[in-house]
Amino acid sequence: MDTLGDWLSHRPFTLGLSSGFFGFFGHTGVLQALHDAGLHPIAAAGSSAGALVAGAHAAGLEPDALAERLRRLRTEEFWDPAPALGISELGFIRVGRFTNVMGDLIGAPTFASVRLPLAISTFDVRARATHVIVSGPLVPAIVASCSVPLLFQPVHHDGRLLSDGGVRDRAGLAGVSLGTRVLHHHLASRSPWRRSGDPQLSPPKRAGLVSLVLEGLERSGPHRLDAGVAAMGQARERAKRALDARVPFGLEGDGTLAG
């Protein structure tokens, strides 16, 4: 057991993807690196940016196809300002255009129809708690999990008012059972509403989990999509190197690997 690639190929693993604003570019690069190495998760989970990539992959979109679509993404495709102040609509951007982008990207699958078991973390605004979605239509679950507080308006779904899953579950692992073997890509970029020292800024630690942290990726945003494309390429190359890196842990995992 020498490298991260060896560890992943030893037994099946679940892919966990954290939240992190427009970090879906970086997640996609990591997914490309795994695909290049012939390493394929048997299940996926994510929150916010992680929910987008985990959901798209589970729905059948190959990593290179997702990467190509992200290279062509334009701000006006999802940017639909309509400021609202009521709790049920609080946010600057309506989610209709973003919902259309996701529908065009993956169609209208349900959790029951996707190729991998999938868990998406959202935040229930009224209950003030994480709500994990594992059934029903996939697109509204992804859109809800990506609805960054105060930027995107929350999503009404299945009788709940849902917002960004990263509010309470930045790791995106609330729907993954303890003891599951997990490769977790932890986006190192700091969410704007988090204070220094917030424990959710640190990579998760649990038995059977390896966190991959790629420091210093280009920081993207709604008006810096070109930086996201650069981050995607950086993540792909650095994740490839990380797969060949020697690991400081045994067969059961439980460690953090910087790349």
Side-chain angles (χ1 to χ4, degrees):
M1 187 62 57
D2 291 322
T3 69
L4 177 60
D6 293 334
W7 186 83
L8 292 170
S9 63
H10 178 67
R11 287 204 306 272
F13 67 95
T14 290
L15 180 64
L17 301 175
S18 77
S19 71
F21 203 39
F22 275 59
F24 44 80
F25 288 100
H27 284 323
T28 301
V30 170
L31 192 60
Q32 287 179 294
L34 291 172
H35 186 81
D36 293 342
L39 298 167
H40 306 289
I42 61 165
S47 183
S48 196
L52 190 157
V53 176
H57 184 60
L61 201 65
E62 296 303 328
D64 285 349
L66 176 57
E68 178 56 32
R69 179 63 182 92
L70 292 179
R71 290 188 189 97
R72 294 185 285 105
L73 184 66
R74 297 293 178 264
T75 302
E76 57 268 20
E77 292 182 75
F78 58 84
W79 196 257
D80 187 18
L85 298 178
I87 186 172
S88 65
E89 301 294 342
L90 182 61
F92 180 70
I93 305 296
R94 291 181 294 202
V95 298
R97 290 185 184 177
F98 178 42
T99 300
N100 291 338
V101 169
M102 289 307 307
D104 290 343
L105 184 66
I106 64 174
T110 65
F111 280 79
S113 69
V114 297
R115 62 179 173 179
L116 299 177
L118 175 67
I120 287 180
S121 294
T122 66
F123 179 70
D124 187 319
V125 175
R126 295 192 177 96
R128 299 183 63 79
T130 295
H131 174 63
V132 179
I133 303 179
V134 295
S135 63
L138 182 55
V139 167
I142 294 174
V143 173
S145 188
C146 292
S147 296
V148 179
L150 302 182
L151 179 61
F152 286 98
Q153 294 170 9
V155 174
H156 296 268
H157 178 61
D158 198 23
R160 298 174 185 267
L161 186 64
L162 302 176
S163 186
D164 192 311
V167 173
R168 288 287 176 87
D169 181 27
R170 187 172 191 272
L173 297 175
V176 179
S177 301
L178 293 175
T180 301
R181 203 162 181 270
V182 178
L183 173 67
H184 182 261
H185 181 219
H186 174 83
L187 288 165
S189 58
R190 184 170 176 269
S191 301
W193 62 82
R194 296 196 187 281
R195 297 179 180 178
S196 178
D198 185 331
Q200 291 206 63
L201 294 175
S202 300
K205 296 183 181 298
R206 55 196 271 187
L209 179 144
V210 174
S211 284
L212 177 62
V213 184
L214 305 177
E215 297 277 0
L217 298 179
E218 289 284 337
R219 187 171 177 82
S220 182
H223 301 291
R224 296 195 68 229
L225 300 178
D226 55 338
V229 173
M232 186 163 58
Q234 293 167 353
R236 185 177 192 173
E237 292 306 312
R238 290 170 60 184
K240 283 182 179 180
R241 293 198 296 269
L243 290 172
D244 292 330
R246 294 180 65 87
V247 293
F249 41 79
L251 291 176
E252 296 308 313
D254 189 15
T256 298
L257 187 66

